[in-house]
Amino acid sequence: MTDQTPALLAAERRAHVLAALERDGAVRVAQLMDDLGVAPVTLRRDLAQMEREGLLVRVHGGAVPAAGAFDDVELGHPVSVTRTGSIAMLVPSLSFYWPSVVRGAETEASRHGLRVVLRGASYELQDERPVLERLVHADGVRGLVVAPNTDTPHAQDVVQWLAECGVPSVLVERDAVVQPEGSPVENVTTDHALGAVLAARHLAALGHRRVGLIIARDSPTSRKIAAGWQAACVELGLTPSDHFETSLPPRTSPDFSAVVDATLDAALANSVTAILVHSDPEAMAFVDLALNRGISVPGDLSVVAYDDEVAELFTPALTAVSPPRSSVGRAAVDLLARRIEDPTRPVHRVVLNPTLNVRGSTAPPRGA
């Protein structure tokens, strides 16, 4: 009987953990230690074994159920996990930039035993609160990952609502504060200003002195790119006569091609030899137009794209600044999972560095 006692105790611990997971959707090591009266090393060994069997997923300080259903063979009856909880994610686009962020979020959510409920809004949506309210009231939603529109009259109202909605939230690629104290909210962003600096340094290192910035829209990302670009111009000793900045209308606008054509004329008139364009499709439009007009890329004009979503597929393959989109999604869900586990932890703001991928669209200017 003595030889069977450890196995019996292990089965009882196992049953307790599974019941707690089914009931609460998560277990904490500290609470289990109190409930079961066992040492931490024993409990962690139990959880590790159950994770190997696909019954749960260990997270910092505890565990959550594995997705799907599992059978507890020692107890002799099925324990169905039909809902391990979910996080809701609202992004402004499901067709460009954001799919990679979403995939990263889904990967991290799976690691925490959570699933992602995804919704797409648009850059034109003025108030995301009705969409967010529906998501919060969905069964099993334990937190929100959101990229709200920060350029509308309701932008601060959305931030205040997120702070008061009753579930934790993390912003992605957005900065915001809660009023009246002005406290920054939890978020994950790319250092887009650094991305512009990387591009400008690359062009300067090739010998370009007259460079231009073209941004696609007035957005949080484009404003950060512009700020970084201006700082780089100061760092590299460029003067206002050595660079220009302009913005483009939406690609669906009837005057888009005409504006691109006029912008290229302005660049050539100012002896500009290199441009940074946000984002990839706009950069491709400039290259297409330049080539159609007999302007060599990169011989006459070097082009750097910003986003690196499809830049590598173009001909010539575009040198591009690449934000760590998948890592942004993963980091946002990780922050949210930790906030769910410990609501009292300090607010975290994570900034990730982009990289520059040098390809065939940049070269030294002629005569350099």
Side-chain angles (χ1 to χ4, degrees):
M1 188 69 177
T2 302
D3 292 339
Q4 296 177 355
T5 302
L8 179 62
L9 293 175
E12 291 175 343
R13 294 196 301 271
R14 179 188 185 98
H16 181 91
V17 171
L18 293 176
L21 286 171
E22 185 179 32
R23 181 185 66 248
D24 302 326
V27 292
R28 292 177 57 82
V29 169
Q31 185 61 50
L32 291 174
M33 287 168 55
D34 290 340
D35 293 345
L36 300 172
V38 297
V41 63
T42 300
L43 188 54
R44 291 192 178 96
R45 187 168 59 241
D46 288 346
L47 295 180
Q49 177 60 37
M50 296 171 73
E51 185 176 52
R52 286 192 293 270
E53 296 174 16
L55 302 178
L56 53 79
V57 177
R58 286 182 295 170
V59 296
H60 182 72
V64 295
F70 55 82
D71 292 333
D72 190 334
V73 295
E74 290 191 16
L75 287 180
H77 64 276
V79 181
S80 177
V81 181
T82 57
R83 176 173 56 83
T84 62
S86 60
I87 59 174
M89 189 169 189
L90 180 66
V91 295
S93 171
L94 297 178
S95 60
F96 198 79
Y97 192 93
W98 294 100
S100 296
V101 178
V102 171
R103 285 192 292 271
E106 289 174 335
T107 298
E108 186 66 17
S110 177
R111 194 176 74 82
H112 287 281
L114 299 165
R115 66 185 183 92
V116 174
V117 177
L118 177 64
R119 294 291 184 275
S122 75
Y123 289 102
E124 287 71 38
L125 184 62
Q126 295 294 300
D127 188 351
E128 293 95 345
R129 283 177 293 177
V131 179
L132 292 169
E133 286 175 356
R134 289 195 296 272
L135 288 171
V136 165
H137 293 139
D139 189 30
V141 168
R142 303 172 66 187
L144 297 165
V145 174
V146 187
N149 190 341
T150 58
D151 296 315
T152 75
H154 298 288
Q156 191 59 44
D157 296 329
V158 173
V159 173
Q160 298 295 128
W161 184 91
L162 287 169
E164 299 165 3
C165 71
V167 299
S169 61
V170 174
L171 300 190
V172 282
E173 297 291 20
R174 300 290 188 266
D175 301 292
V177 298
V178 176
Q179 300 297 350
E181 63 271 19
S183 301
V185 302
E186 204 144 52
N187 69 342
V188 179
T189 58
T190 299
D191 191 343
H192 293 295
L194 173 62
V197 172
L198 294 176
R201 288 176 181 170
H202 168 65
L203 295 173
L206 290 173
H208 295 279
R209 302 305 302 167
R210 294 184 178 274
V211 295
L213 170 67
I214 295 97
I215 54 178
R217 64 167 66 88
D218 185 21
S219 70
T221 296
S222 63
R223 286 194 291 274
K224 291 178 180 180
I225 292 171
W229 184 258
Q230 292 161 5
C233 288
V234 173
E235 173 193 315
L236 299 170
L238 301 177
T239 64
S241 61
D242 294 327
H243 67 91
F244 75 97
E245 300 173 17
T246 189
S247 61
L248 300 177
R251 293 192 302 277
T252 55
S253 172
D255 61 342
F256 175 78
S257 295
V259 173
V260 171
D261 198 34
T263 302
L264 185 57
D265 285 338
L268 298 175
N270 285 278
S271 301
V272 167
T273 59
I275 56 175
L276 168 63
V277 186
H278 176 227
S279 55
D280 288 9
E282 285 76 10
M284 292 175 181
F286 270 93
V287 175
D288 271 336
L289 179 60
L291 295 178
N292 288 340
R293 291 173 54 172
I295 300 167
S296 171
V297 176
D300 299 317
L301 182 69
S302 285
V303 178
V304 179
Y306 198 105
D307 271 355
D308 205 17
E309 184 80 18
V310 291
E312 187 175 12
L313 304 178
F314 198 66
T315 302
L318 300 181
T319 294
V321 177
S322 181
R325 296 179 295 274
S326 179
S327 294
V328 167
R330 291 197 300 269
V333 172
D334 180 66
L335 280 188
L336 186 60
R338 294 173 184 273
R339 174 65 56 193
I340 292 170
E341 179 185 328
D342 181 7
T344 65
R345 74 194 299 263
V347 169
H348 284 52
R349 288 173 286 158
V350 176
V351 181
L352 303 180
N353 286 357
T355 56
L356 179 72
N357 292 320
V358 178
R359 303 188 181 103
S361 65
T362 52
R366 293 191 189 278

